[in-house]
Amino acid sequence: MTDVLETGVLESQLPILIVLLVMGTGAKVVTVRGGGEPGALSRLGPAVLMPGRMRAPSLLVCAAGELVLAVGLLATTAPIFRWGTVCFFALSTYVLIELRRRRPDAGCGCFGEVSSAPVGMRSIGRTVVLTGMSALSVAAPASGWAAMTHPTWFTAAGVAVIALLSPEIEELIDRVRYRAPCEQRPGPAEQVMLSRLRSSGPWRTYREALTSSEPYDSWRELCWRFFVFTGHDHDDVVFAVYLSGRRPAVRVAVVSSDDSDSLPEYTSVSA
């Protein structure tokens, strides 16, 4: 009985890995070949970390790798595909952490344009969980096809965890509701966005540095709402709040009067 249970746990994650790899492949190909929103590739990782003309090829190479891994997991028990999947998700975790540090405005691109929200802890947590699932499946005696035809409660539990860690679900709901990309949707009222800002970590960090809790300027740009406050050192403290999500990404930058003509460098992110 113990051996059967152990085997069930090891095999249970293969269907999830295969389906997500296939979905990632299809979404990336559609994003590259389907045109999508203007400038979409400049906002999606890992393409964001590549030179301009290499962005589309890098997404296609990533998609091809995911497809190879999915087919290998589905049809065989070869260790190369299983360890390759572990390496893929472990590398994805590193890339997302680096993307969050270097380009906090960019989405992970895991599922094409749907993954356009700024990388947060949920996206990073998902790749960590998928890395663990991949490691569990290495010792599974059955192929992915056999596991897919005999799903278990462990598979359902894994699906629930991945769904909880997937901000794309909220984005899909918004797209169905508004049938338009983020930058073309009517955003929440300014006071709603200000309330979300005040419940964020960056606000709590910088609140004492502000002369007032009310912004002196505010505007919307694409998928972001910007608020500008005056700091005690007469610097401008600029917050950018992502329009989607109940706990949206928040960025903050301090712009001195000497740098007022240049673009601010954002120094903090909160999901």
Side-chain angles (χ1 to χ4, degrees):
M1 181 65 179
T2 303
D3 291 342
V4 173
L5 181 62
E6 182 179 344
T7 300
V9 172
L10 296 177
E11 295 177 358
S12 64
Q13 309 311 315
L14 283 170
I16 300 173
L17 298 172
I18 292 169
V19 169
L20 289 181
L21 288 168
V22 171
M23 288 174 60
T25 298
K28 290 179 179 66
V29 171
V30 168
T31 296
V32 173
R33 297 301 184 190
E37 300 171 21
L41 294 184
S42 66
R43 303 191 300 271
L44 299 176
V48 140
L49 302 177
M50 305 293 290
R53 61 183 178 182
M54 294 298 296
R55 286 170 179 162
S58 69
L59 273 186
L60 291 176
V61 168
C62 184
E66 288 178 282
L67 183 61
V68 169
L69 291 173
V71 172
L73 292 178
L74 182 69
T76 75
T77 59
I80 186 172
F81 295 111
R82 297 188 175 180
W83 281 112
T85 304
V86 175
C87 293
F88 173 79
F89 285 117
L91 182 60
S92 297
T93 303
Y94 168 77
V95 170
L96 291 189
I97 293 172
E98 188 68 9
L99 191 64
R100 179 181 168 94
R101 183 181 70 84
R102 293 174 55 183
R103 281 291 305 271
D105 61 312
C108 74
C110 307
F111 299 100
E113 282 187 72
V114 181
S115 301
S116 59
V119 174
M121 293 309 298
R122 289 171 67 190
S123 298
I124 295 173
R126 180 176 59 193
T127 58
V128 171
V129 169
L130 289 171
T131 303
M133 288 180 173
S134 305
L136 275 178
S137 69
V138 168
S143 67
W145 176 254
M148 293 189 77
T149 55
H150 297 88
T152 68
W153 286 108
F154 296 109
T155 305
V159 170
V161 171
I162 295 301
L164 187 65
L165 294 173
S166 296
E168 290 84 0
I169 294 177
E170 297 171 8
E171 176 65 20
L172 284 172
I173 292 173
D174 285 342
R175 291 196 178 203
V176 170
R177 181 183 302 169
Y178 298 111
R179 299 185 181 279
C182 173
E183 52 263 45
Q184 297 176 12
R185 298 175 202 152
E190 182 176 330
Q191 288 303 315
V192 173
M193 298 306 297
L194 189 57
S195 175
R196 292 177 181 176
L197 167 63
R198 288 169 177 161
S199 65
S200 70
W203 173 263
R204 291 189 291 271
T205 300
Y206 283 84
R207 174 63 188 90
E208 298 302 320
L210 307 179
T211 59
S212 170
S213 61
E214 296 297 326
Y216 75 81
D217 195 9
S218 174
W219 70 91
R220 173 178 172 172
E221 184 174 338
L222 298 177
C223 297
W224 298 86
R225 166 65 67 175
F226 291 84
F227 297 96
V228 186
F229 299 79
T230 301
H232 288 301
D233 296 330
H234 304 289
D235 294 331
D236 285 338
V237 182
V238 185
F239 292 91
V241 187
Y242 197 68
L243 293 176
S244 298
R246 294 182 180 178
R247 297 185 61 191
V250 176
R251 300 188 299 164
V252 58
V254 178
V255 185
S256 68
S257 56
D258 294 336
D259 299 329
S260 58
D261 293 332
S262 61
L263 292 175
E265 180 180 353
Y266 292 94
T267 57
S268 177
V269 180
S270 175

